[in-house]
Amino acid sequence: ALSTFESDTATPESYYEYQGSELKEADVLKTYNGKKITDSQKALISNCAFVGDSICSGLYVYGVLPQDIVVAVGNVGIRSIDDYTFKVNGGEYNALDALKVIAPKYVIFSMGMNDINITSAETYCENYLNMLKRTHDILPQSKLYVASITPIDAASSFASNDKINRYNAAVKQAVEGAGYNYIDIATSLRDSTGGMNARFSGGDGIHINKSGYYSILNDVVKQVG
């Protein structure tokens, strides 16, 4: 099972070095550190599309998932997602058109780090509900999820984990109240103080490393379905 994966000990890298680069075929659907993924887990992950920002894009940057199911680039926020295009299956599309191309069983939205210092929690939730409704309109058979914003290093000056927790609590209440779904990917990434666990740090206090993505997928297979 994914929960048996060992920590990835590779030196953390910054995501920003990788934006737009050619990426190798993902290996998560094969093995990780010699641990085989079950067929049911493989099928579930293969039926997901992940939509989001530079943190979300790490799923393909690190070769964890194929780029064709990761609709993500740097600087995206839920407030600004329509301003960006995404490369999927040889084409370049806005987020909604990319999702139509993928036609996933599950859509997992994972962003917010680029919203929390710009919009209020109330506006953040309104923007998410708007995007969820538009996605449901074009993909009525897909099950839609919003993933929590991931924790940051407690010493980071970017924001505070208390603020992130407030936004997560607000969006959880909003999306579940509207009939959508919420995934907690943050708890597994935290240390005892509530900040990002150093073993998952990508090196800048905000982004995560390859081990962090296997933690996220472990939470996905437990909570999606």
Side-chain angles (χ1 to χ4, degrees):
L2 285 171
S3 58
T4 65
F5 284 164
E6 302 297 328
S7 172
D8 178 29
T9 56
T11 302
E13 304 273 5
S14 168
Y15 295 105
Y16 302 116
E17 298 172 14
Y18 292 93
Q19 295 301 327
S21 64
E22 290 296 318
L23 299 163
K24 69 183 180 64
E25 183 65 25
D27 62 4
V28 71
L29 301 183
K30 300 169 187 173
T31 63
Y32 177 63
N33 280 6
K35 308 288 187 182
K36 289 191 180 296
I37 293 179
T38 67
D39 287 344
S40 61
Q41 289 170 337
K42 179 162 56 173
L44 188 150
I45 295 168
S46 298
N47 281 308
C48 292
F50 295 81
V51 184
D53 54 17
S54 62
I55 296 177
C56 184
S57 75
L59 283 162
Y60 74 78
V61 167
Y62 280 108
V64 174
L65 291 178
Q67 186 172 3
D68 284 342
I69 63 170
V70 183
V71 182
V73 295
N75 301 317
V76 170
I78 191 61
R79 75 185 195 288
S80 61
I81 192 167
D82 291 327
D83 298 337
Y84 293 85
T85 58
F86 306 87
K87 294 178 180 179
V88 174
N89 290 339
E92 190 162 347
Y93 309 91
N94 65 33
L96 289 173
D97 286 342
L99 286 172
K100 280 197 289 187
V101 169
I102 300 169
K105 187 173 181 180
Y106 310 106
V107 181
I108 300 168
F109 293 94
S110 179
M111 67 198 93
M113 205 67 80
N114 297 312
D115 296 284
I116 58 174
N117 290 332
I118 296 176
T119 60
S120 67
E122 181 180 14
T123 300
Y124 177 65
C125 293
E126 290 171 355
N127 290 338
Y128 246 128
L129 291 177
N130 175 264
M131 185 63 181
L132 289 163
K133 181 182 184 304
R134 292 161 61 208
T135 305
H136 177 72
D137 287 345
I138 65 163
L139 293 172
Q141 303 304 315
S142 299
K143 196 168 181 180
L144 310 183
Y145 294 80
V146 170
S148 53
I149 304 169
T150 51
I152 59 176
D153 188 282
S156 174
S157 60
F158 179 79
S160 71
N161 284 297
D162 284 345
K163 186 176 190 179
I164 290 171
N165 294 343
R166 288 197 303 273
Y167 276 64
N168 282 340
V171 82
K172 180 179 190 295
Q173 182 176 23
V175 302
E176 290 182 344
Y180 304 107
N181 309 279
Y182 177 82
I183 303 177
D184 175 15
I185 61 172
T187 299
S188 299
L189 296 172
R190 294 190 188 115
D191 63 17
S192 59
T193 71
M196 183 195 295
N197 189 316
R199 68 186 289 261
F200 298 129
S201 175
D204 64 359
I206 298 170
H207 294 85
I208 60 177
N209 63 15
K210 193 170 185 177
S211 285
Y213 290 106
Y214 286 96
S215 171
I216 287 173
L217 291 183
N218 187 37
D219 284 329
V220 167
V221 297
K222 288 177 180 176
Q223 298 176 59
V224 167

